[in-house]
Amino acid sequence: MSLRNRTLCVNVGLGGLLLLLVAAILILSCVPPVSKDALVHHLAVPKLYLEHGGIYEIPFMPFSYYPMNLDLLYLIPLYFGNDIAPKFIHFGFALLTAWLIFKYLRSRTGIEYALGGGLFFLSIPIIVKLSITVYVDLGLIFFSTASLLLVLKWVELDFPPKYLLLSAISCGLAAGTKYNGLIVLFLLTFFVPFLYSRCAKSSNPGFSRSAFQGVIFLGVALLVFSPWMIRNYLWTNNPIYPLYDHWFNPQGGAGGSINVFAFRASVYGETWWQMALLPVRIFFQGRDGNPQYFDGKLNPFLFLLPFFVFVGIRKESRMLVREIKILALFSALYFAFAFFSTDLRVRYILPIIPALIILSVLGVKNMYETLRGIHSSNLQKCGRGVLLGALCLLLGLNAHYVLNQFRYVKPFDYLCGLITRDEYIERYRFEYPVIRYINEKLPQSSLILFIFVGKRGYYCNRPYVLDMGRNGSSIQLIVKKATNSEEVLSAFQKRGITHLLIRYDIFDKWKRDKYIFTDREMRILDDFMRKYTRLLFYKWGYGISKLQEHAFS
């Protein structure tokens, strides 16, 4: 087979796999939303905005203060009663990111490598998982990647202002999608003047001109991000609430939250060497839904392949070498910020995945070209076989994850009409039967307090509040201030609360925790629950109780 025919076959094969993957993701998406953050935040808050007739402050939901560029897009299908379409909107940003990767790699390598990069990105387990859920992370990835690649384009074309402005706008949109975008803003604000000072054709661009480029970038990005800062400042006097309790103090006080090492040692019992290997383990040990194992899954080759980009790097053009270094530095610095600032999760490092994909593909290209230079045909064939086997294993790991998603999501049960929408949701959300009871039986004037329900309020069609807020747990504060159970009832009535939705297994342990309540407070809470609440409906550990004005005899 000629080289041309072989390349055509590879391109057709990769294109076919891409179409198959996109079709699989679309099928997996065609079920009612049941993911936690969708029901807590990304659908719940837009739904409340629609019911209210506009954006308004929701103090009992700290996450409602987050930037909401993508959540506002979800308002459109929700307005028409469709809560599955937001998944397609979210997946659309994954496709746009794959297009950015394809476009960059095609100009630096060839169409086969570009198709491979797009396929690798879309099939990464965490990207598949996000593509079938109503989150905002794929929007963050797209805007961050666009901003970074536009900076590279700005440098490549000798600093035309157009690309700097477009990069700044993209960076502002990233920050307005999720607060993690502020890390991208911070890094690129320093990258811009540094690259200008090093790469401008002028022999001595000067500090002031270089710094001016950074100021322009920062100013435009903050201008795009500013609507969310203004909103939060008007509501809380803190433009990036709830990240910080005022301007400079980290949330939780001046000392900030417990560092990642102390947290993992105390909660997971990990040793020093296990924590030292965290930057490696996150690529090999990820598991969905398990915080100890980073609550998400990557692919080991995403860690291994980028190292091969430096094989034969001296043969590459000066421009490509510079871009490789920028992509690698961006990935390393962003990972460091995410690693040391919070409990480590895969979703917290997502903006580096496209850069790692690009470096991985360039690494594969370098390995292939190095093998072509080997004089021994046997060694060359052996090397190509090993490389091909590694790439098949890479895609095989991702394909295995996609198949497992079909086993977990079971979309055909719903799509073929074997179960109803309500039955599908109940399969994954055990509180849903109680929510249905609330929607069908309770009057519109009800106000329900959610207690240990995981904050999942999207499916509740009656007014509700969460047992949390800017001052902590409301029921805990009420009990601690009360001298008897009647005062607890009075406090709830003043807040307008008529019903309590409780997950009882957690609630029963919580109210017996001596680190939370004293013996006197436990007695007051028990007395209140016995005298002034009446259980209306209970299933799967969740119950809805009505507050009584008069005590039971």
Side-chain angles (χ1 to χ4, degrees), residues 9 28 59 99 138 142 161 181 193 195 198 224 250 294 318 341 348 360 389 446 511 529:
C9 289
L28 288 167
W99 174 77
L138 295 176
F142 169 71
L195 290 171
R198 294 291 300 270
V224 174
F294 320 112
R318 184 177 180 182
S341 63
Y348 298 163
S360 297
S446 303
K511 70 179 184 178
M529 295 298 294

Side-chain angles (χ1 to χ4, degrees), residues 248-285:
F248 300 107
N249 293 331
Q251 187 179 14
S257 59
I258 187 171
N259 70 67
V260 64
F261 303 111
F263 176 83
R264 297 189 73 89
S266 62
V267 176
Y268 305 134
E270 292 185 348
T271 61
W272 68 267
W273 65 266
Q274 288 175 306
M275 288 184 279
L277 289 174
L278 283 174
V280 178
R281 290 172 54 205
I282 193 171
F283 292 91
F284 288 82
Q285 292 186 318

Side-chain angles (χ1 to χ4, degrees), residues 195-269:
L195 290 171
Y196 187 82
S197 66
R198 294 291 300 270
C199 305
K201 289 184 177 180
S202 171
S203 58
N204 185 17
F207 174 80
S208 59
R209 290 187 62 185
S210 300
F212 180 70
Q213 309 301 317
V215 170
I216 291 294
F217 179 89
L218 178 62
V220 172
L222 288 178
L223 182 64
V224 174
F225 178 51
S226 64
W228 303 114
M229 292 194 293
I230 294 170
R231 178 201 65 170
N232 284 355
Y233 181 76
L234 293 174
W235 286 348
T236 69
N237 288 328
N238 174 8
I240 54 173
Y241 183 86
L243 282 189
Y244 291 79
D245 59 21
H246 194 58
W247 285 91
F248 300 107
N249 293 331
Q251 187 179 14
S257 59
I258 187 171
N259 70 67
V260 64
F261 303 111
F263 176 83
R264 297 189 73 89
S266 62
V267 176
Y268 305 134

Side-chain angles (χ1 to χ4, degrees), residues 50-303:
L50 285 173
E51 292 173 351
H52 187 265
I55 296 175
Y56 71 108
E57 186 176 10
I58 312 175
F60 67 85
M61 289 183 170
F63 42 83
S64 68
Y65 296 90
Y66 294 165
M68 300 181 64
N69 282 346
L70 256 66
D71 297 298
L72 293 185
L73 289 178
Y74 302 155
L75 281 168
I76 300 171
L78 287 180
Y79 177 82
F80 294 100
N82 189 321
D83 56 14
I84 293 177
K87 296 182 184 181
F88 302 139
I89 295 174
H90 194 220
F91 177 46
F93 285 95
L95 293 175
L96 288 172
T97 307
W99 174 77
L100 289 177
I101 293 170
F102 173 86
K103 187 177 179 182
Y104 176 85
L105 287 172
R106 186 177 185 182
S107 66
R108 300 296 185 269
T109 56
I111 192 169
E112 64 272 19
Y113 290 104
L115 286 170
L119 178 62
F120 189 14
F121 171 75
L122 288 175
S123 64
I124 291 286
I126 186 64
I127 301 300
V128 172
K129 188 70 173 180
L130 291 170
S131 296
I132 63 174
T133 51
V134 188
Y135 282 22
V136 298
D137 302 86
L138 295 176
L140 170 66
I141 293 175
F142 169 71
F143 291 123
S144 299
T145 305
S147 184
L148 177 60
L149 295 183
L150 283 166
V151 167
L152 298 184
K153 193 73 173 178
W154 176 63
V155 177
E156 177 190 353
L157 298 180
D158 196 27
F159 309 103
K162 168 185 172 182
Y163 289 99
L164 181 65
L165 294 176
L166 288 174
S167 176
I169 291 170
S170 298
C171 195
L173 291 172
T177 299
K178 192 170 183 176
Y179 276 138
N180 299 57
L182 291 174
I183 303 177
V184 180
L185 174 59
F186 176 80
L187 291 176
L188 294 187
T189 298
F190 284 95
F191 275 32
V192 164
F194 175 77
L195 290 171
Y196 187 82
S197 66
R198 294 291 300 270
C199 305
K201 289 184 177 180
S202 171
S203 58
N204 185 17
F207 174 80
S208 59
R209 290 187 62 185
S210 300
F212 180 70
Q213 309 301 317
V215 170
I216 291 294
F217 179 89
L218 178 62
V220 172
L222 288 178
L223 182 64
V224 174
F225 178 51
S226 64
W228 303 114
M229 292 194 293
I230 294 170
R231 178 201 65 170
N232 284 355
Y233 181 76
L234 293 174
W235 286 348
T236 69
N237 288 328
N238 174 8
I240 54 173
Y241 183 86
L243 282 189
Y244 291 79
D245 59 21
H246 194 58
W247 285 91
F248 300 107
N249 293 331
Q251 187 179 14
S257 59
I258 187 171
N259 70 67
V260 64
F261 303 111
F263 176 83
R264 297 189 73 89
S266 62
V267 176
Y268 305 134
E270 292 185 348
T271 61
W272 68 267
W273 65 266
Q274 288 175 306
M275 288 184 279
L277 289 174
L278 283 174
V280 178
R281 290 172 54 205
I282 193 171
F283 292 91
F284 288 82
Q285 292 186 318
R287 297 180 193 173
D288 290 341
N290 190 326
Q292 180 178 2
Y293 296 106
F294 320 112
D295 192 23
K297 191 174 181 62
L298 292 170
N299 185 301
F301 287 94
L302 200 59
F303 174 81

